[in-house]
Every structure is written in C-alpha cells, then in structure tokens.
mmCIF file of all heavy atoms in Angstrom:
data_model
loop_
_atom_site.group_PDB
_atom_site.id
_atom_site.type_symbol
_atom_site.label_atom_id
_atom_site.label_comp_id
_atom_site.label_asym_id
_atom_site.label_seq_id
_atom_site.Cartn_x
_atom_site.Cartn_y
_atom_site.Cartn_z
ATOM 1 N N MET A 1 5.844 -98.897 -1.378
ATOM 2 C CA MET A 1 4.537 -98.455 -0.922
ATOM 3 C C MET A 1 4.520 -96.945 -0.762
ATOM 4 O O MET A 1 5.502 -96.345 -0.319
ATOM 5 C CB MET A 1 4.176 -99.118 0.420
ATOM 6 C CG MET A 1 4.091 -100.636 0.338
ATOM 7 S SD MET A 1 3.894 -101.398 1.975
ATOM 8 C CE MET A 1 2.231 -100.891 2.387
ATOM 9 N N THR A 2 3.399 -96.346 -1.109
ATOM 10 C CA THR A 2 3.214 -94.917 -0.906
ATOM 11 C C THR A 2 2.854 -94.664 0.555
ATOM 12 O O THR A 2 2.599 -95.603 1.324
ATOM 13 C CB THR A 2 2.093 -94.379 -1.801
ATOM 14 O OG1 THR A 2 0.846 -94.959 -1.369
ATOM 15 C CG2 THR A 2 2.326 -94.723 -3.268
ATOM 16 N N SER A 3 2.785 -93.389 0.938
ATOM 17 C CA SER A 3 2.407 -93.077 2.317
ATOM 18 C C SER A 3 0.977 -93.538 2.591
ATOM 19 O O SER A 3 0.657 -93.988 3.700
ATOM 20 C CB SER A 3 2.552 -91.578 2.586
ATOM 21 O OG SER A 3 1.642 -90.828 1.794
ATOM 22 N N LYS A 4 0.100 -93.436 1.594
ATOM 23 C CA LYS A 4 -1.283 -93.887 1.774
ATOM 24 C C LYS A 4 -1.344 -95.401 1.937
ATOM 25 O O LYS A 4 -2.119 -95.916 2.752
ATOM 26 C CB LYS A 4 -2.122 -93.453 0.566
ATOM 27 C CG LYS A 4 -3.579 -93.902 0.622
ATOM 28 C CD LYS A 4 -4.317 -93.325 1.813
ATOM 29 C CE LYS A 4 -5.783 -93.683 1.792
ATOM 30 N NZ LYS A 4 -6.493 -93.189 2.992
ATOM 31 N N GLN A 5 -0.532 -96.123 1.209
ATOM 32 C CA GLN A 5 -0.509 -97.579 1.334
ATOM 33 C C GLN A 5 0.035 -98.001 2.699
ATOM 34 O O GLN A 5 -0.463 -98.949 3.309
ATOM 35 C CB GLN A 5 0.323 -98.182 0.199
ATOM 36 C CG GLN A 5 -0.375 -98.049 -1.150
ATOM 37 C CD GLN A 5 0.545 -98.295 -2.327
ATOM 38 O OE1 GLN A 5 1.764 -98.200 -2.199
ATOM 39 N NE2 GLN A 5 -0.019 -98.609 -3.470
ATOM 40 N N LEU A 6 1.042 -97.283 3.194
ATOM 41 C CA LEU A 6 1.533 -97.548 4.547
ATOM 42 C C LEU A 6 0.450 -97.240 5.566
ATOM 43 O O LEU A 6 0.279 -97.957 6.545
ATOM 44 C CB LEU A 6 2.785 -96.708 4.830
ATOM 45 C CG LEU A 6 4.073 -97.146 4.150
ATOM 46 C CD1 LEU A 6 5.184 -96.150 4.432
ATOM 47 C CD2 LEU A 6 4.496 -98.541 4.599
ATOM 48 N N ASN A 7 -0.295 -96.163 5.342
ATOM 49 C CA ASN A 7 -1.409 -95.797 6.213
ATOM 50 C C ASN A 7 -2.424 -96.931 6.260
ATOM 51 O O ASN A 7 -2.877 -97.342 7.329
ATOM 52 C CB ASN A 7 -2.046 -94.504 5.679
ATOM 53 C CG ASN A 7 -3.128 -93.952 6.582
ATOM 54 O OD1 ASN A 7 -3.983 -94.689 7.051
ATOM 55 N ND2 ASN A 7 -3.116 -92.654 6.798
ATOM 56 N N ASN A 8 -2.786 -97.455 5.085
ATOM 57 C CA ASN A 8 -3.744 -98.558 5.026
ATOM 58 C C ASN A 8 -3.227 -99.784 5.761
ATOM 59 O O ASN A 8 -3.972 -100.474 6.456
ATOM 60 C CB ASN A 8 -4.048 -98.915 3.569
ATOM 61 C CG ASN A 8 -5.047 -97.977 2.932
ATOM 62 O OD1 ASN A 8 -5.716 -97.208 3.617
ATOM 63 N ND2 ASN A 8 -5.142 -98.028 1.618
ATOM 64 N N TRP A 9 -1.937 -100.072 5.601
ATOM 65 C CA TRP A 9 -1.361 -101.253 6.267
ATOM 66 C C TRP A 9 -1.468 -101.114 7.786
ATOM 67 O O TRP A 9 -1.661 -102.099 8.491
ATOM 68 C CB TRP A 9 0.100 -101.432 5.856
ATOM 69 C CG TRP A 9 0.707 -102.682 6.412
ATOM 70 C CD1 TRP A 9 0.695 -103.929 5.846
ATOM 71 C CD2 TRP A 9 1.415 -102.822 7.658
ATOM 72 N NE1 TRP A 9 1.346 -104.819 6.673
ATOM 73 C CE2 TRP A 9 1.792 -104.176 7.775
ATOM 74 C CE3 TRP A 9 1.758 -101.927 8.677
ATOM 75 C CZ2 TRP A 9 2.508 -104.652 8.882
ATOM 76 C CZ3 TRP A 9 2.459 -102.412 9.771
ATOM 77 C CH2 TRP A 9 2.833 -103.751 9.865
ATOM 78 N N ALA A 10 -1.358 -99.876 8.270
ATOM 79 C CA ALA A 10 -1.355 -99.639 9.713
ATOM 80 C C ALA A 10 -2.716 -99.875 10.344
ATOM 81 O O ALA A 10 -2.811 -100.087 11.547
ATOM 82 C CB ALA A 10 -0.891 -98.214 10.012
ATOM 83 N N VAL A 11 -3.804 -99.834 9.543
ATOM 84 C CA VAL A 11 -5.141 -99.974 10.105
ATOM 85 C C VAL A 11 -5.393 -101.426 10.476
ATOM 86 O O VAL A 11 -5.460 -102.298 9.616
ATOM 87 C CB VAL A 11 -6.210 -99.469 9.119
ATOM 88 C CG1 VAL A 11 -7.604 -99.634 9.711
ATOM 89 C CG2 VAL A 11 -5.968 -98.011 8.778
ATOM 90 N N TYR A 12 -5.498 -101.670 11.743
ATOM 91 C CA TYR A 12 -5.640 -103.025 12.276
ATOM 92 C C TYR A 12 -6.913 -103.701 11.795
ATOM 93 O O TYR A 12 -7.977 -103.104 11.772
ATOM 94 C CB TYR A 12 -5.658 -102.937 13.801
ATOM 95 C CG TYR A 12 -5.281 -104.203 14.520
ATOM 96 C CD1 TYR A 12 -3.955 -104.594 14.621
ATOM 97 C CD2 TYR A 12 -6.246 -105.003 15.108
ATOM 98 C CE1 TYR A 12 -3.602 -105.741 15.301
ATOM 99 C CE2 TYR A 12 -5.907 -106.147 15.785
ATOM 100 C CZ TYR A 12 -4.580 -106.523 15.877
ATOM 101 O OH TYR A 12 -4.244 -107.665 16.539
ATOM 102 N N ARG A 13 -6.789 -104.939 11.382
ATOM 103 C CA ARG A 13 -7.909 -105.763 10.923
ATOM 104 C C ARG A 13 -8.536 -105.237 9.635
ATOM 105 O O ARG A 13 -9.695 -105.496 9.353
ATOM 106 C CB ARG A 13 -9.002 -105.896 11.998
ATOM 107 C CG ARG A 13 -8.543 -106.666 13.217
ATOM 108 C CD ARG A 13 -8.165 -108.097 12.864
ATOM 109 N NE ARG A 13 -9.254 -108.791 12.194
ATOM 110 C CZ ARG A 13 -9.086 -109.879 11.452
ATOM 111 N NH1 ARG A 13 -7.893 -110.363 11.253
ATOM 112 N NH2 ARG A 13 -10.127 -110.465 10.898
ATOM 113 N N LEU A 14 -7.767 -104.488 8.836
ATOM 114 C CA LEU A 14 -8.244 -104.078 7.521
ATOM 115 C C LEU A 14 -7.462 -104.914 6.518
ATOM 116 O O LEU A 14 -6.365 -104.569 6.129
ATOM 117 C CB LEU A 14 -7.980 -102.586 7.298
ATOM 118 C CG LEU A 14 -8.551 -101.954 6.025
ATOM 119 C CD1 LEU A 14 -10.056 -102.147 5.938
ATOM 120 C CD2 LEU A 14 -8.196 -100.489 5.965
ATOM 121 N N SER A 15 -8.030 -106.052 6.121
ATOM 122 C CA SER A 15 -7.276 -107.032 5.348
ATOM 123 C C SER A 15 -7.150 -106.616 3.896
ATOM 124 O O SER A 15 -7.790 -105.691 3.415
ATOM 125 C CB SER A 15 -7.960 -108.392 5.409
ATOM 126 O OG SER A 15 -9.091 -108.411 4.565
ATOM 127 N N LYS A 16 -6.314 -107.339 3.154
ATOM 128 C CA LYS A 16 -6.109 -107.061 1.744
ATOM 129 C C LYS A 16 -7.392 -107.276 0.945
ATOM 130 O O LYS A 16 -7.507 -106.814 -0.180
ATOM 131 C CB LYS A 16 -4.990 -107.945 1.186
ATOM 132 C CG LYS A 16 -5.337 -109.432 1.128
ATOM 133 C CD LYS A 16 -4.230 -110.245 0.480
ATOM 134 C CE LYS A 16 -3.020 -110.359 1.359
ATOM 135 N NZ LYS A 16 -2.015 -111.303 0.824
ATOM 136 N N PHE A 17 -8.382 -107.955 1.520
ATOM 137 C CA PHE A 17 -9.619 -108.230 0.807
ATOM 138 C C PHE A 17 -10.697 -107.199 1.101
ATOM 139 O O PHE A 17 -11.706 -107.146 0.414
ATOM 140 C CB PHE A 17 -10.147 -109.623 1.173
ATOM 141 C CG PHE A 17 -9.166 -110.716 0.836
ATOM 142 C CD1 PHE A 17 -8.361 -111.263 1.811
ATOM 143 C CD2 PHE A 17 -9.038 -111.164 -0.467
ATOM 144 C CE1 PHE A 17 -7.440 -112.253 1.492
ATOM 145 C CE2 PHE A 17 -8.127 -112.155 -0.779
ATOM 146 C CZ PHE A 17 -7.320 -112.703 0.192
ATOM 147 N N THR A 18 -10.518 -106.380 2.136
ATOM 148 C CA THR A 18 -11.574 -105.435 2.521
ATOM 149 C C THR A 18 -11.122 -103.989 2.479
ATOM 150 O O THR A 18 -11.896 -103.106 2.783
ATOM 151 C CB THR A 18 -12.084 -105.731 3.941
ATOM 152 O OG1 THR A 18 -10.982 -105.636 4.863
ATOM 153 C CG2 THR A 18 -12.692 -107.121 4.025
ATOM 154 N N ARG A 19 -9.878 -103.711 2.105
ATOM 155 C CA ARG A 19 -9.402 -102.337 2.055
ATOM 156 C C ARG A 19 -10.172 -101.553 1.000
ATOM 157 O O ARG A 19 -10.477 -102.053 -0.067
ATOM 158 C CB ARG A 19 -7.903 -102.280 1.733
ATOM 159 C CG ARG A 19 -7.042 -102.892 2.819
ATOM 160 C CD ARG A 19 -5.575 -102.839 2.439
ATOM 161 N NE ARG A 19 -4.803 -103.749 3.263
ATOM 162 C CZ ARG A 19 -4.309 -103.440 4.435
ATOM 163 N NH1 ARG A 19 -4.511 -102.259 4.937
ATOM 164 N NH2 ARG A 19 -3.614 -104.319 5.134
ATOM 165 N N GLN A 20 -10.459 -100.300 1.320
ATOM 166 C CA GLN A 20 -11.200 -99.451 0.403
ATOM 167 C C GLN A 20 -10.247 -98.751 -0.564
ATOM 168 O O GLN A 20 -9.148 -98.376 -0.199
ATOM 169 C CB GLN A 20 -11.998 -98.401 1.180
ATOM 170 C CG GLN A 20 -13.030 -98.997 2.123
ATOM 171 C CD GLN A 20 -14.087 -99.795 1.367
ATOM 172 O OE1 GLN A 20 -14.608 -99.334 0.359
ATOM 173 N NE2 GLN A 20 -14.387 -100.981 1.851
ATOM 174 N N GLY A 21 -10.682 -98.567 -1.795
ATOM 175 C CA GLY A 21 -9.908 -97.799 -2.767
ATOM 176 C C GLY A 21 -8.702 -98.552 -3.275
ATOM 177 O O GLY A 21 -7.590 -98.350 -2.819
ATOM 178 N N ASP A 22 -8.895 -99.457 -4.227
ATOM 179 C CA ASP A 22 -7.792 -100.251 -4.756
ATOM 180 C C ASP A 22 -6.660 -99.389 -5.299
ATOM 181 O O ASP A 22 -5.517 -99.804 -5.335
ATOM 182 C CB ASP A 22 -8.290 -101.191 -5.861
ATOM 183 C CG ASP A 22 -8.933 -102.454 -5.296
ATOM 184 O OD1 ASP A 22 -8.734 -102.713 -4.097
ATOM 185 O OD2 ASP A 22 -9.604 -103.148 -6.044
ATOM 186 N N LEU A 23 -6.988 -98.132 -5.722
ATOM 187 C CA LEU A 23 -5.966 -97.275 -6.297
ATOM 188 C C LEU A 23 -4.815 -97.071 -5.320
ATOM 189 O O LEU A 23 -3.656 -97.000 -5.717
ATOM 190 C CB LEU A 23 -6.576 -95.921 -6.671
ATOM 191 C CG LEU A 23 -5.618 -94.911 -7.315
ATOM 192 C CD1 LEU A 23 -5.174 -95.438 -8.681
ATOM 193 C CD2 LEU A 23 -6.288 -93.558 -7.469
ATOM 194 N N GLU A 24 -5.120 -97.001 -4.047
ATOM 195 C CA GLU A 24 -4.084 -96.752 -3.054
ATOM 196 C C GLU A 24 -3.927 -97.927 -2.089
ATOM 197 O O GLU A 24 -3.327 -97.804 -1.046
ATOM 198 C CB GLU A 24 -4.397 -95.481 -2.258
ATOM 199 C CG GLU A 24 -4.269 -94.198 -3.061
ATOM 200 C CD GLU A 24 -2.829 -93.842 -3.371
ATOM 201 O OE1 GLU A 24 -1.925 -94.565 -2.912
ATOM 202 O OE2 GLU A 24 -2.601 -92.853 -4.070
ATOM 203 N N SER A 25 -4.476 -99.081 -2.418
ATOM 204 C CA SER A 25 -4.375 -100.237 -1.540
ATOM 205 C C SER A 25 -2.969 -100.799 -1.574
ATOM 206 O O SER A 25 -2.255 -100.681 -2.559
ATOM 207 C CB SER A 25 -5.364 -101.323 -1.972
ATOM 208 O OG SER A 25 -5.107 -102.536 -1.295
ATOM 209 N N ASP A 26 -2.539 -101.428 -0.477
ATOM 210 C CA ASP A 26 -1.209 -102.030 -0.480
ATOM 211 C C ASP A 26 -1.193 -103.341 -1.250
ATOM 212 O O ASP A 26 -0.156 -103.949 -1.443
ATOM 213 C CB ASP A 26 -0.689 -102.240 0.951
ATOM 214 C CG ASP A 26 -1.531 -103.202 1.754
ATOM 215 O OD1 ASP A 26 -2.677 -103.463 1.353
ATOM 216 O OD2 ASP A 26 -1.036 -103.698 2.784
ATOM 217 N N HIS A 27 -2.353 -103.802 -1.677
ATOM 218 C CA HIS A 27 -2.432 -104.977 -2.546
ATOM 219 C C HIS A 27 -3.323 -104.627 -3.733
ATOM 220 O O HIS A 27 -4.316 -105.301 -3.998
ATOM 221 C CB HIS A 27 -3.004 -106.187 -1.793
ATOM 222 C CG HIS A 27 -2.049 -106.752 -0.776
ATOM 223 N ND1 HIS A 27 -1.056 -107.637 -1.094
ATOM 224 C CD2 HIS A 27 -1.918 -106.531 0.551
ATOM 225 C CE1 HIS A 27 -0.370 -107.967 -0.007
ATOM 226 N NE2 HIS A 27 -0.872 -107.294 1.003
ATOM 227 N N SER A 28 -2.995 -103.561 -4.437
ATOM 228 C CA SER A 28 -3.830 -103.075 -5.526
ATOM 229 C C SER A 28 -4.074 -104.171 -6.554
ATOM 230 O O SER A 28 -3.147 -104.852 -6.986
ATOM 231 C CB SER A 28 -3.168 -101.879 -6.210
ATOM 232 O OG SER A 28 -2.997 -100.829 -5.288
ATOM 233 N N GLY A 29 -5.340 -104.334 -6.932
ATOM 234 C CA GLY A 29 -5.684 -105.321 -7.942
ATOM 235 C C GLY A 29 -5.394 -106.748 -7.511
ATOM 236 O O GLY A 29 -5.107 -107.613 -8.330
ATOM 237 N N TYR A 30 -5.462 -107.007 -6.204
ATOM 238 C CA TYR A 30 -5.114 -108.332 -5.703
ATOM 239 C C TYR A 30 -6.040 -109.402 -6.270
ATOM 240 O O TYR A 30 -7.249 -109.266 -6.288
ATOM 241 C CB TYR A 30 -5.198 -108.356 -4.167
ATOM 242 C CG TYR A 30 -4.831 -109.706 -3.574
ATOM 243 C CD1 TYR A 30 -3.505 -110.017 -3.310
ATOM 244 C CD2 TYR A 30 -5.801 -110.665 -3.308
ATOM 245 C CE1 TYR A 30 -3.158 -111.246 -2.782
ATOM 246 C CE2 TYR A 30 -5.463 -111.893 -2.786
ATOM 247 C CZ TYR A 30 -4.147 -112.180 -2.514
ATOM 248 O OH TYR A 30 -3.816 -113.396 -2.009
ATOM 249 N N VAL A 31 -5.433 -110.460 -6.782
ATOM 250 C CA VAL A 31 -6.166 -111.624 -7.253
ATOM 251 C C VAL A 31 -5.603 -112.833 -6.538
ATOM 252 O O VAL A 31 -4.389 -113.056 -6.537
ATOM 253 C CB VAL A 31 -6.018 -111.811 -8.780
ATOM 254 C CG1 VAL A 31 -6.734 -113.071 -9.234
ATOM 255 C CG2 VAL A 31 -6.557 -110.596 -9.514
ATOM 256 N N ARG A 32 -6.461 -113.609 -5.919
ATOM 257 C CA ARG A 32 -5.965 -114.757 -5.168
ATOM 258 C C ARG A 32 -5.251 -115.721 -6.110
ATOM 259 O O ARG A 32 -5.788 -116.113 -7.150
ATOM 260 C CB ARG A 32 -7.118 -115.484 -4.470
ATOM 261 C CG ARG A 32 -6.604 -116.581 -3.530
ATOM 262 C CD ARG A 32 -7.726 -117.259 -2.788
ATOM 263 N NE ARG A 32 -7.188 -118.295 -1.916
ATOM 264 C CZ ARG A 32 -7.936 -119.170 -1.266
ATOM 265 N NH1 ARG A 32 -9.241 -119.117 -1.367
ATOM 266 N NH2 ARG A 32 -7.385 -120.074 -0.493
ATOM 267 N N PRO A 33 -4.000 -116.104 -5.779
ATOM 268 C CA PRO A 33 -3.218 -116.954 -6.673
ATOM 269 C C PRO A 33 -3.841 -118.334 -6.870
ATOM 270 O O PRO A 33 -4.671 -118.779 -6.081
ATOM 271 C CB PRO A 33 -1.863 -117.065 -5.964
ATOM 272 C CG PRO A 33 -1.838 -115.932 -4.997
ATOM 273 C CD PRO A 33 -3.257 -115.706 -4.588
ATOM 274 N N LEU A 34 -3.408 -118.994 -7.945
ATOM 275 C CA LEU A 34 -3.827 -120.367 -8.195
ATOM 276 C C LEU A 34 -3.272 -121.257 -7.091
ATOM 277 O O LEU A 34 -2.277 -120.924 -6.432
ATOM 278 C CB LEU A 34 -3.315 -120.832 -9.562
ATOM 279 C CG LEU A 34 -3.916 -120.081 -10.761
ATOM 280 C CD1 LEU A 34 -3.208 -120.507 -12.048
ATOM 281 C CD2 LEU A 34 -5.409 -120.347 -10.859
ATOM 282 N N PRO A 35 -3.886 -122.421 -6.852
ATOM 283 C CA PRO A 35 -3.434 -123.305 -5.769
ATOM 284 C C PRO A 35 -2.086 -123.937 -6.071
ATOM 285 O O PRO A 35 -1.994 -125.027 -6.645
ATOM 286 C CB PRO A 35 -4.556 -124.346 -5.686
ATOM 287 C CG PRO A 35 -5.173 -124.352 -7.040
ATOM 288 C CD PRO A 35 -5.087 -122.944 -7.532
ATOM 289 N N VAL A 36 -1.022 -123.235 -5.717
ATOM 290 C CA VAL A 36 0.337 -123.753 -5.802
ATOM 291 C C VAL A 36 0.899 -123.721 -4.389
ATOM 292 O O VAL A 36 0.239 -123.214 -3.483
ATOM 293 C CB VAL A 36 1.196 -122.891 -6.753
ATOM 294 C CG1 VAL A 36 0.659 -122.971 -8.167
ATOM 295 C CG2 VAL A 36 1.252 -121.449 -6.288
ATOM 296 N N PRO A 37 2.097 -124.281 -4.154
ATOM 297 C CA PRO A 37 2.635 -124.280 -2.786
ATOM 298 C C PRO A 37 2.532 -122.912 -2.126
ATOM 299 O O PRO A 37 2.984 -121.913 -2.676
ATOM 300 C CB PRO A 37 4.095 -124.705 -3.003
ATOM 301 C CG PRO A 37 4.021 -125.608 -4.185
ATOM 302 C CD PRO A 37 2.982 -124.995 -5.092
ATOM 303 N N ARG A 38 1.907 -122.875 -0.958
ATOM 304 C CA ARG A 38 1.555 -121.613 -0.321
ATOM 305 C C ARG A 38 2.772 -120.745 -0.029
ATOM 306 O O ARG A 38 2.684 -119.526 -0.018
ATOM 307 C CB ARG A 38 0.780 -121.902 0.967
ATOM 308 C CG ARG A 38 0.200 -120.661 1.621
ATOM 309 C CD ARG A 38 -0.840 -121.026 2.649
ATOM 310 N NE ARG A 38 -1.940 -121.766 2.060
ATOM 311 C CZ ARG A 38 -2.930 -121.217 1.390
ATOM 312 N NH1 ARG A 38 -2.938 -119.918 1.205
ATOM 313 N NH2 ARG A 38 -3.900 -121.938 0.897
ATOM 314 N N SER A 39 3.933 -121.370 0.178
ATOM 315 C CA SER A 39 5.125 -120.598 0.498
ATOM 316 C C SER A 39 5.625 -119.798 -0.694
ATOM 317 O O SER A 39 6.482 -118.950 -0.549
ATOM 318 C CB SER A 39 6.249 -121.528 0.968
ATOM 319 O OG SER A 39 6.586 -122.451 -0.047
ATOM 320 N N LEU A 40 5.067 -120.045 -1.896
ATOM 321 C CA LEU A 40 5.542 -119.368 -3.085
ATOM 322 C C LEU A 40 4.539 -118.386 -3.675
ATOM 323 O O LEU A 40 4.874 -117.619 -4.562
ATOM 324 C CB LEU A 40 5.890 -120.401 -4.181
ATOM 325 C CG LEU A 40 6.985 -121.402 -3.832
ATOM 326 C CD1 LEU A 40 7.163 -122.378 -4.986
ATOM 327 C CD2 LEU A 40 8.293 -120.702 -3.537
ATOM 328 N N ASN A 41 3.305 -118.416 -3.204
ATOM 329 C CA ASN A 41 2.287 -117.656 -3.918
ATOM 330 C C ASN A 41 1.799 -116.398 -3.200
ATOM 331 O O ASN A 41 0.797 -115.821 -3.591
ATOM 332 C CB ASN A 41 1.094 -118.557 -4.268
ATOM 333 C CG ASN A 41 0.289 -118.960 -3.045
ATOM 334 O OD1 ASN A 41 0.591 -118.544 -1.930
ATOM 335 N ND2 ASN A 41 -0.731 -119.774 -3.249
ATOM 336 N N SER A 42 2.496 -115.990 -2.153
ATOM 337 C CA SER A 42 2.146 -114.765 -1.437
ATOM 338 C C SER A 42 0.691 -114.771 -0.990
ATOM 339 O O SER A 42 -0.014 -113.790 -1.100
ATOM 340 C CB SER A 42 2.404 -113.534 -2.314
ATOM 341 O OG SER A 42 2.110 -112.358 -1.600
ATOM 342 N N ASP A 43 0.232 -115.869 -0.482
ATOM 343 C CA ASP A 43 -1.148 -115.976 -0.020
ATOM 344 C C ASP A 43 -1.186 -116.420 1.438
ATOM 345 O O ASP A 43 -2.182 -116.914 1.916
ATOM 346 C CB ASP A 43 -1.905 -116.984 -0.892
ATOM 347 C CG ASP A 43 -3.422 -116.767 -0.840
ATOM 348 O OD1 ASP A 43 -3.834 -115.658 -0.458
ATOM 349 O OD2 ASP A 43 -4.165 -117.698 -1.168
ATOM 350 N N ILE A 44 -0.041 -116.274 2.114
ATOM 351 C CA ILE A 44 0.055 -116.752 3.491
ATOM 352 C C ILE A 44 -0.998 -116.112 4.378
ATOM 353 O O ILE A 44 -1.686 -116.783 5.147
ATOM 354 C CB ILE A 44 1.466 -116.465 4.062
ATOM 355 C CG1 ILE A 44 2.523 -117.210 3.236
ATOM 356 C CG2 ILE A 44 1.553 -116.890 5.522
ATOM 357 C CD1 ILE A 44 3.939 -116.827 3.583
ATOM 358 N N SER A 45 -1.150 -114.786 4.258
ATOM 359 C CA SER A 45 -2.021 -114.078 5.199
ATOM 360 C C SER A 45 -3.502 -114.315 4.936
ATOM 361 O O SER A 45 -4.338 -113.822 5.670
ATOM 362 C CB SER A 45 -1.721 -112.578 5.177
ATOM 363 O OG SER A 45 -1.982 -112.039 3.906
#
C-alpha cells in the first residue's frame, strides 16, 4: 500500500465501496467476488 492508501484505510467508516479516487484506493478496481466460500474470496468485510 502507498502512503495515500494507508491514509484512506485510516479513515473510519470509509469502506472499500465508498472510498473516493480508485487510483489511490486500498481496494483499487474492487469487484465483488463470485459467490464462493467466503473465507477464500476476500469479501469478509
């Protein structure tokens, strides 16, 4: 993660779905995974 991505992570209640600026988001280009076992698809949060 870049310093900006760490900054974004630190902002409380700013989820991976509402963060501004995908270029520097900690989940850039996030696409919700297909319905597979949740422990494997990084969709826990």
Side-chain angles (χ1 to χ4, degrees):
M1 298 172 70
T2 66
S3 65
K4 178 62 175 177
Q5 290 165 340
L6 286 175
N7 186 314
N8 280 346
W9 185 88
V11 179
Y12 202 77
R13 294 298 305 160
L14 186 57
S15 76
K16 68 176 72 172
F17 300 100
T18 59
R19 295 179 197 274
Q20 299 298 314
D22 279 345
L23 181 66
E24 291 288 357
S25 169
D26 63 343
H27 289 277
S28 299
Y30 181 86
V31 177
R32 187 177 180 189
L34 295 173
V36 296
R38 188 165 300 280
S39 61
L40 299 178
N41 70 2
S42 182
D43 202 20
I44 298 171
S45 62

